Amino acid sequence: MNVYFKDGNIATKNLNPGTSVYGEELIQEDCEYRIWNPRRSKLSAALLNGLENLELDETSKVLYLGASTGTTVSHISDIVINGRIYAVEFSPTTAKKLVQLSHQRLNIAPILGDATKPKGYLNIVEKVDLVYCDVAQPTQTELFMKNMNLFLKDGGVGILMIKARSIDVVQKPKKIFKEQEKKLIEKGFKIIEKVKLEPYEKDHIALLVEKNF
Amino acid sequence: MECYITYCIKGYLAFNSENELIAEKLFPDDEIINRLSEIDNKQIVKEELEIIEEVSKDFDEIIIESNKRLSDYDNDKIIIKNPNKAGEYLRNNYAKFDLNQEDITRIYQNLAIYRIKKESASEDKHLIQAINSIDEIDESISKLIERIREWYALYFPEMEIIKNNETYIKLVSQNKTKEKIIEAKPDAFPSEIIDIDEDINPVDLEIMNNYANSIYELQKSRKNLENYIDKKMESIAPNLRLLIGPTLGAKLISHAGGLKRLAMYPSSTIQIMGAEKALFRHLKSGDRPPKYGLIYQHPQVRGAKWWNRGKIARMLAGRISLAVRRDVFTKTFDENVADEFKLKVEEIEKNNPFPTKTTKKRKEELGKSKKRKKKGKKSKKRR
């Protein structure tokens, strides 16, 4: 995977040299690198905390749910140079920024859609190698599973970023994580890896999931 | 024999049960966005009709991926299945069908831009912003007026007599000095003060006047907003406007997040909209549920006798539901909504002239009788 260590931080090769997407630091060496800030992007935090089994190559296809303004999307776009990211975002105002980003990076396909209703974008998304889900909704595990079933290639994986506070404010995060894992396993998914995102994000967990055939 | 039809950003494709491509109807290059947006709007596009016609000769079952209803199609061979076999095959093999090009990103961009535009173009979005800004302006005006009253009192403390905020601001901003204010409204002030002539630094007076002017402007723009809301409500929700007035109607729409969403809500939800705190307290601790939320602002509810308010609120919520649905779905105007509602209110008031026992009292009595029964067992249960 095209992720590099640069003085204690992780970084990706800039696909669009000379520009920084969200004000991140650029490092000039043999080519240009963009520092991947773990406080801005949960995937970076997960990787720094030792997420091992995620493999993305240059031609991987990714379905990204909850793309927002495209912070993490831009880094994945650095990694999957010749692949494609289908970035789904619900809010029209944030999607505007995402569309702007896709003008600079041609491997991003912005979609204004509702991740809880994957059939709304069924016919404009192909099967993907990675389903990345970061929507911070109480029902996010359910919608993640729906999307996995519709869009995951054989042998593909999914990443689910669970924010305990957005599922239930009152309950203990540990209990919530357990419940969500149970839901996944019941519906025929297998959890390959679990990574907590502390200290970058509080009460978050990243689950790497595959379909258990 | 069955065949499967699916579509992607390029056009419609038909496969047989061995996943062999049997027909394809591609969208013209410059029409792709139009076609996709038509599909978004649940229309049957030209290519779809053509491909159905082509395959319906040779196959007796057509399984199609579609977001439309079966009754929208004029063909009894069609079965809708989402996703179907062909779609799965197509999405697994995008590369085979020459779908992986650079300009495809452009299509996605344009489609996203189209959808963004459509979302922000809907009229109720403006209405929601307008009603929210009225609330905010109200809040700031009352704060600012507090300040100007305190400040202007340094120069002209007798102004306290004028209680109405609007006249106060108007007087201060339009008439620069104490003398002119008294001239403009001579009957409001006692005559003794006219003689007291106190010097004030013109710079101080100037800045106070400026400040008053800006509050006056704010009041003006509030009025503009009110008119705007009234007009907008008349065009997008005439029935609702007639029934409960433009401001309250707009507040309900804003609370629901859109006219259509308000129309989809059950009337029980509309009844207690804005009383969420009380509702959740009821759900959590079993307190009595709220009878009304935002619709308490309606004069017929607020002005009713307390034992009738719940009944009227419930009935009003039902009427609101009907009116909004008429606005959204049939787009007809019923000029009698308000009158019918008033008649119903009168009927309710006639039928219930006296208060009945409230639930609270009933509960207390029930509790007492239960306690009496339980008295014998009480010692066991005590912790």
Side-chain angles (χ1 to χ4, degrees):
Chain A
M1 208 158 79
N2 290 326
V3 179
Y4 307 88
F5 268 97
K6 297 286 165 202
D7 23 281
N9 290 311
I10 57 173
T12 54
K13 260 185 203 169
N14 198 347
L15 185 67
N16 182 17
T19 53
S20 104
V21 176
Y22 54 99
E24 74 279 19
E25 212 179 310
L26 302 175
I27 297 180
Q28 307 287 348
E29 274 174 25
D30 45 327
C31 59
E32 195 175 278
Y33 295 96
R34 291 165 60 225
I35 297 282
W36 196 352
N37 184 351
R39 291 187 187 278
R40 299 288 299 272
S41 164
K42 284 169 206 149
L43 185 56
S44 168
L47 288 170
L48 277 173
N49 280 357
L51 185 74
E52 281 175 350
N53 296 319
L54 177 69
E55 268 309 319
L56 284 173
D57 58 36
E58 292 192 351
T59 56
S60 295
K61 306 279 194 317
V62 180
L63 173 62
Y64 194 113
L65 307 170
S68 185
T69 52
T71 313
T72 309
V73 174
S74 71
H75 283 286
I76 298 179
S77 128
D78 283 347
I79 298 169
V80 294
I81 305 163
N82 296 318
R84 187 173 293 275
I85 307 166
Y86 296 94
V88 179
E89 170 58 38
F90 182 58
S91 148
T93 14
T94 34
K96 259 182 205 165
K97 270 200 175 165
L98 193 65
V99 173
Q100 273 168 14
L101 183 71
S102 75
H103 279 285
Q104 300 159 4
R105 295 161 175 272
L106 293 176
N107 55 8
I108 298 175
I111 295 171
L112 184 71
D114 185 352
T116 54
K117 294 180 183 114
K119 282 181 182 166
Y121 48 85
L122 177 70
N123 291 83
I124 53 175
V125 175
E126 61 183 304
K127 297 264 174 177
V128 295
D129 304 286
L130 171 70
V131 174
Y132 184 102
C133 178
D134 178 11
V135 284
Q137 284 277 322
T139 56
Q140 85 151 332
T141 311
E142 285 80 10
L143 74 91
F144 173 69
M145 292 189 291
K146 262 194 220 169
N147 279 285
M148 287 280 273
N149 285 330
L150 279 175
F151 295 110
L152 198 66
K153 255 185 204 169
D154 292 353
V157 291
I159 294 183
L160 179 60
M161 297 291 177
I162 298 178
K163 179 183 179 187
R165 292 280 172 248
S166 71
I167 288 178
D168 194 332
V169 221
V170 200
Q171 265 176 16
K172 288 232 170 77
K174 250 189 194 168
K175 202 181 161 196
I176 292 170
F177 295 149
K178 241 185 208 153
E179 271 171 16
Q180 304 301 320
E181 282 170 31
K182 210 177 131 198
K183 266 187 210 167
L184 285 168
I185 290 164
E186 270 173 7
K187 287 279 157 70
F189 293 91
K190 191 175 150 197
I191 294 162
I192 314 170
E193 214 178 332
K194 276 190 262 186
V195 182
K196 286 214 170 124
L197 302 189
E198 253 115 42
Y200 309 108
E201 301 268 5
K202 220 185 146 198
D203 297 333
H204 279 62
I205 200 169
L207 300 178
L208 192 66
V209 180
E210 71 177 7
K211 257 189 184 173
N212 202 358
F213 291 103
Chain B
M1 282 264 280
E2 61 217 15
C3 100
Y4 301 85
I5 295 178
T6 183
Y7 72 93
C8 62
I9 51 171
K10 282 252 165 156
Y12 272 87
L13 305 167
F15 294 80
N16 66 11
S17 47
E18 267 85 53
N19 285 335
E20 286 159 356
L21 187 68
I22 47 173
E24 62 174 358
K25 292 272 183 252
L26 300 186
F27 303 135
D29 271 347
D30 48 345
E31 286 282 318
I32 291 178
I33 299 301
N34 285 344
R35 291 290 194 272
L36 289 175
S37 51
E38 275 169 32
I39 295 172
D40 260 4
N41 297 334
K42 306 206 168 175
Q43 287 170 347
I44 298 177
V45 298
K46 202 174 120 208
E47 281 75 12
E48 194 174 3
L49 279 178
E50 283 174 6
I51 206 164
I52 289 173
E53 206 184 300
E54 194 175 317
V55 296
S56 61
K57 279 178 257 161
D58 308 332
F59 296 90
D60 14 86
E61 247 177 28
I62 301 167
I63 298 158
I64 191 166
E65 263 180 8
S66 168
N67 56 356
K68 280 141 290 211
R69 280 170 301 176
L70 201 56
S71 55
D72 292 338
Y73 292 95
D74 195 19
N75 194 325
D76 51 4
K77 289 179 183 174
I78 283 177
I79 297 168
I80 292 174
K81 207 176 163 206
N82 246 350
N84 70 12
K85 205 171 138 194
E88 294 279 292
Y89 177 72
L90 173 69
R91 285 188 285 279
N92 258 320
N93 301 285
Y94 249 41
K96 258 191 212 170
F97 296 94
D98 186 31
L99 284 161
N100 236 340
Q101 296 162 359
E102 281 295 281
D103 54 23
I104 283 181
T105 308
R106 297 264 170 262
I107 295 175
Y108 282 102
Q109 277 165 10
N110 289 333
L111 189 65
I113 289 170
Y114 165 80
R115 286 186 184 170
I116 290 170
K117 275 191 185 151
K118 206 179 118 198
E119 282 278 317
S120 43
S122 64
E123 286 197 86
D124 44 3
K125 288 258 154 70
H126 291 280
L127 185 73
I128 291 169
Q129 296 294 344
I131 191 78
N132 288 343
S133 32
I134 279 203
D135 282 348
E136 265 141 37
I137 286 180
D138 276 346
E139 211 174 290
S140 8
I141 282 183
S142 65
K143 261 187 198 167
L144 295 175
I145 282 180
E146 235 172 81
R147 174 64 53 213
I148 189 87
R149 274 178 182 271
E150 208 177 313
W151 195 353
Y152 211 73
L154 294 177
Y155 168 56
F156 189 21
E158 287 80 4
M159 278 286 278
E160 281 299 294
I161 290 171
I162 292 164
K163 289 278 185 286
N164 187 322
N165 284 338
E166 254 172 73
T167 26
Y168 188 99
I169 293 298
K170 214 174 168 188
L171 281 174
V172 175
S173 72
Q174 284 179 345
N175 310 293
K176 293 231 157 168
T177 59
K178 199 193 274 189
E179 288 79 28
K180 277 186 185 160
I181 290 176
I182 294 168
E183 246 172 64
K185 224 173 161 62
D187 48 328
F189 303 99
S191 52
E192 309 94 74
I193 59 159
I194 300 170
D195 310 317
I196 306 165
D197 201 32
E198 209 180 311
D199 267 343
I200 183 160
N201 189 342
V203 182
D204 294 343
L205 193 60
E206 178 71 32
I207 200 84
M208 280 194 291
N209 270 319
N210 265 342
Y211 185 43
N213 262 333
S214 48
I215 301 174
Y216 184 59
E217 288 300 313
L218 212 54
Q219 279 175 341
K220 262 205 268 178
S221 69
R222 187 197 185 279
K223 264 200 190 112
N224 281 344
L225 275 170
E226 227 168 36
N227 289 339
Y228 167 82
I229 285 172
D230 194 20
K231 275 204 191 110
K232 203 89 188 180
M233 282 293 286
E234 200 171 0
S235 73
I236 69 171
N239 291 303
L240 186 64
R241 175 177 168 275
L242 186 63
L243 183 62
I244 56 175
T247 335
L248 182 53
K251 270 182 192 162
L252 284 176
I253 293 171
S254 143
H255 199 95
L259 190 63
K260 199 165 179 192
R261 286 186 66 178
L262 184 65
M264 304 283 217
Y265 278 166
S267 63
S268 55
T269 307
I270 292 173
Q271 189 185 345
I272 52 163
M273 239 181 210
E276 279 79 7
K277 217 171 143 194
L279 176 68
F280 287 120
R281 193 174 53 224
H282 157 67
L283 293 174
K284 245 185 185 166
S285 62
D287 267 3
R288 283 181 302 157
K291 296 193 197 75
Y292 26 70
L294 276 174
I295 62 170
Y296 182 68
Q297 292 172 20
H298 192 277
Q300 301 280 3
V301 178
R302 196 178 37 206
K305 304 250 166 42
W306 59 264
W307 60 89
N308 283 333
R309 269 183 213 149
K311 291 182 184 69
I312 293 170
R314 174 167 13 101
M315 200 259 297
L316 177 61
R319 300 268 149 161
I320 291 172
S321 265
L322 291 176
V324 178
R325 282 169 202 179
R326 194 185 279 268
D327 286 329
V328 174
F329 299 115
T330 63
K331 298 210 164 61
T332 51
F333 181 57
D334 176 13
E335 51 196 18
N336 295 325
V337 268
D339 297 337
E340 276 172 20
F341 167 66
K342 264 173 208 153
L343 281 180
K344 267 271 179 188
V345 171
E346 276 164 23
E347 201 178 300
I348 288 178
E349 281 179 340
K350 215 173 84 190
N351 290 342
N352 304 283
F354 303 110
T356 49
K357 257 182 204 168
T358 62
T359 32
K360 198 180 168 189
K361 265 187 187 164
R362 241 180 261 156
K363 239 185 192 171
E364 272 170 10
E365 276 173 19
L366 207 72
K368 267 180 205 164
S369 61
K370 263 189 187 168
K371 257 182 203 166
R372 247 175 259 143
K373 273 182 200 167
K374 273 191 179 172
K375 248 183 184 172
K377 297 174 192 170
K378 214 178 178 184
S379 52
K380 269 185 200 170
K381 275 207 169 176
R382 193 182 270 166
R383 283 187 188 179

